[in-house]
Amino acid sequence: MREASSRYPSRFLSLMSAHWADISEGFRDDIMDGVANYLTHRYGNLQANGTWAPVDGPDAPTLASCVLDELERHPSHWQLNRSASDAMQACAQVIHDTKNAARLVFLAIGFANLREKSSIKGDSIDLIDTGINMTSGHITEALMILANKLLEYSVPFPELLSPTLRRFADNEHPAIRALILRHLPYLQSLNPELGWDLFRIAMQDATGLWKTAEPCLYHSYHNQFEKVALLLARIHSEGSGEDLVTWGRISALSALTGHIDFAVLLENLKTLDATEAWRGAAGVWTHPENIKQHRDQCLAGIEAGLNADRPHAVATARQVEHIFHDNTLVISIPTELIRLCFGAFESDSENKHRDLYGFNEWLNATSHRDPEQALTATEIYLTYVAHAKPFFYDYENRLTQLMTRLFAEAEEREESDQGAMLRRVVSVQDTLLSLGVNGISDWLKAAERQ
């Protein structure tokens, strides 16, 4: 029934209204679910399976109005009903007029006092996952989607929308407030006064919410730093654990734009002495585009992190890995930072056998631009491999390509450096052979035949 209704929503919605008394409660919910699925497939973010195709394509605002008619016609069934909440969330995607928006808001108010527990549990379930699986979560998203749509189309708000949004933003369940925050950055850009008011209400108790709230800070630190600065100070004094990742990330971004003095940021990181804060900041410093635009500050930040206490250095080194993952933008890194990075990896007792994905390719690319640095970095890398015994594999024969390039460069320099580079390259070759790197023996045999 649900699937059939999703393919022919107007027909089944009309049948339900015409034959209400003859249809069981379960089938009523199935029909409403199907109509909601149609709207969400067509206008929301629900992915349809490969066989789904609607039989008719009714005018979306008209269909939404018909759904509201049904919800109003039989309130005793639809009150606090999960299928009704799904339908309201779907309708919010396509309502672009004040009259129908007012009807949806009035229906949503009936859910404001609903107190429920999440239907899902597990260590990997966060507040957003919890909220989107709650009936009141569907209503919260419906209100936020509706508000953003009306602002986007410059449609006046119904009188009760803003106070109802404030009421849901003040919900005692953090998952409901997380859903407010999830949709808030766009609303803040369209209506800053209402957006920041909702942020203030939702974050009165910020426990567990700073990660979800981070996009609100991210989209505001450029042009509204005075507001963001107060929030960073609040996280610094009140936050803990993962909250400090947000503090570190937004603070580092603000330093790149000059809103925060970089030296002050480093001093605050040392004083705070929180690995999460270093991890957040290092994520900014190691982003290839940031290094490209703010090289000196990013490298100085990475160096400070790698020279910090061991847990902070390890967290920084893990972020440095991201530099090697980008195959389109090869970033030059000072040799000393590479040395510090592998020193941190070697001290990482929790992940001794890490696979440094992308580093072989980075070495190979670097050898074309700076063979001397590539050779030194390779020596540092192989010393780490010999000591730490990580997973070691030559993806796509990058190391054999590197050796070909290094041998060619060493032979060109042989007369000028009395064979010093060649001896180092031979030593690297022997180390690779001793480590059993795939392809090196075959590469040597092929080189001997030439």
Side-chain angles (χ1 to χ4, degrees):
M1 184 66 73
R2 186 185 298 112
E3 286 297 311
S5 300
S6 73
R7 289 164 167 77
Y8 210 155
S10 54
R11 177 170 183 260
F12 280 89
L13 192 60
S14 297
L15 284 171
M16 180 169 63
S17 298
H19 302 279
W20 179 264
D22 300 322
I23 299 175
S24 69
E25 291 186 2
F27 280 145
R28 294 168 186 170
D29 292 349
D30 289 335
I31 291 172
M32 189 61 76
D33 282 336
V35 175
N37 285 346
Y38 168 83
L39 287 169
T40 313
H41 282 320
R42 292 294 298 270
Y43 305 100
N45 57 7
L46 180 63
Q47 296 296 315
N49 62 44
T51 61
W52 185 85
V55 176
D56 71 340
D59 175 69
T62 301
L63 180 61
S65 182
C66 292
V67 170
L68 298 179
D69 288 343
E70 172 51 44
L71 296 178
E72 293 167 345
R73 188 178 297 117
H74 299 103
S76 61
H77 176 78
W78 298 119
Q79 186 177 18
L80 305 184
N81 180 283
R82 187 178 183 87
S83 297
S85 71
D86 283 341
M88 291 168 63
Q89 183 178 357
C91 288
Q93 303 275 358
V94 298
I95 292 177
H96 301 150
D97 67 286
T98 305
K99 180 180 177 181
N100 279 315
R103 297 171 69 194
L104 189 145
V105 172
F106 188 78
L107 289 166
I109 292 172
F111 289 80
N113 293 323
L114 177 61
R115 297 295 178 263
E116 60 184 315
K117 294 183 179 180
S118 173
S119 60
I120 58 172
K121 298 184 184 297
D123 294 338
S124 62
I125 303 302
D126 60 15
L127 288 175
I128 294 297
D129 291 328
T130 299
I132 62 178
N133 283 281
M134 297 170 67
T135 297
S136 51
H138 301 161
I139 299 299
T140 304
E141 292 213 286
L143 291 168
M144 291 299 292
I145 291 168
L146 178 67
N148 282 332
K149 289 291 182 182
L150 296 181
L151 288 169
E152 184 178 338
Y153 288 94
S154 300
V155 176
F157 273 19
E159 183 179 356
L160 293 177
L161 179 52
S162 292
T164 303
L165 285 169
R166 292 186 176 93
R167 185 173 178 180
F168 276 81
D170 197 30
N171 193 284
E172 65 183 24
H173 201 304
I176 299 303
R177 289 180 278 126
L179 292 180
I180 293 283
L181 295 167
R182 182 191 197 191
H183 294 273
L184 204 49
Y186 189 49
L187 193 149
Q188 286 178 316
S189 71
L190 299 173
N191 188 333
E193 183 178 355
L194 175 60
W196 282 108
D197 192 31
L198 293 175
F199 184 94
R200 175 188 60 79
I201 296 169
M203 296 296 286
Q204 290 179 94
D205 177 4
T207 305
L209 287 174
W210 283 114
K211 180 180 178 181
T212 307
E214 183 177 325
C216 296
L217 279 62
Y218 174 79
H219 290 287
S220 302
Y221 79 91
H222 266 291
N223 300 319
Q224 299 186 67
F225 184 73
E226 67 284 352
K227 286 185 172 66
V228 174
L230 295 174
L231 296 171
L232 289 174
R234 181 180 170 189
I235 303 173
H236 187 278
S237 63
E238 299 176 8
S240 62
E242 290 299 306
D243 300 340
L244 298 176
V245 176
T246 293
W247 179 87
R249 188 154 40 229
I250 300 300
S251 295
L253 286 168
S254 300
L256 291 183
T257 57
H259 288 108
I260 292 177
D261 183 86
F262 180 61
V264 172
L265 169 61
L266 292 183
E267 190 59 37
N268 285 338
L269 282 165
K270 293 174 185 176
T271 302
L272 194 58
D273 194 26
T275 299
E276 294 86 355
W278 280 102
R279 173 155 53 90
V284 172
W285 299 327
T286 57
H287 191 286
E289 286 296 334
N290 290 338
I291 297 176
K292 185 178 178 181
Q293 296 178 40
H294 308 278
R295 180 176 175 83
D296 290 344
Q297 186 173 139
C298 287
L299 294 182
I302 293 170
E303 183 175 11
L306 292 173
N307 278 311
D309 292 342
R310 189 187 67 81
H312 313 332
V314 170
T316 302
R318 289 175 181 174
Q319 296 300 312
V320 171
E321 287 187 62
H322 298 157
I323 296 173
F324 309 124
H325 294 174
D326 190 337
N327 299 330
T328 61
L329 188 63
V330 180
I331 300 295
S332 174
I333 300 297
T335 301
E336 182 55 29
L337 291 191
I338 294 174
R339 195 183 309 278
L340 288 170
C341 184
F342 279 106
F345 285 152
E346 192 165 349
S347 70
D348 184 5
S349 57
E350 295 180 8
N351 200 356
K352 279 287 188 183
H353 303 292
R354 70 185 316 109
D355 174 15
L356 195 61
Y357 174 75
F359 191 67
N360 293 358
E361 187 168 0
W362 181 86
L363 286 172
N364 191 31
T366 300
S367 70
H368 291 273
R369 183 188 67 252
D370 189 343
E372 182 67 35
Q373 186 194 24
L375 176 57
T376 303
T378 302
E379 291 168 334
I380 295 169
Y381 178 39
L382 294 181
T383 299
Y384 159 74
V385 170
H387 291 166
K389 303 291 192 299
F391 179 77
F392 188 54
Y393 182 78
D394 185 14
Y395 293 100
E396 298 181 353
N397 296 317
R398 298 296 184 183
L399 290 177
T400 55
Q401 295 170 35
L402 169 69
M403 293 305 299
T404 299
R405 178 74 187 93
L406 292 179
F407 264 114
E409 181 67 23
E411 288 170 354
E412 287 183 14
R413 298 186 185 188
E414 189 171 6
E415 291 187 7
S416 61
D417 70 357
Q418 289 77 50
M421 184 178 184
L422 185 58
R423 287 191 291 274
R424 292 170 64 195
V425 175
V426 170
S427 178
V428 166
Q429 166 199 285
D430 292 342
T431 301
L432 289 172
L433 282 169
S434 68
L435 291 170
V437 175
N438 58 302
I440 290 293
S441 296
D442 293 338
W443 169 80
L444 271 176
K445 291 175 183 178
E448 291 171 358
R449 288 195 296 268
Q450 293 178 358

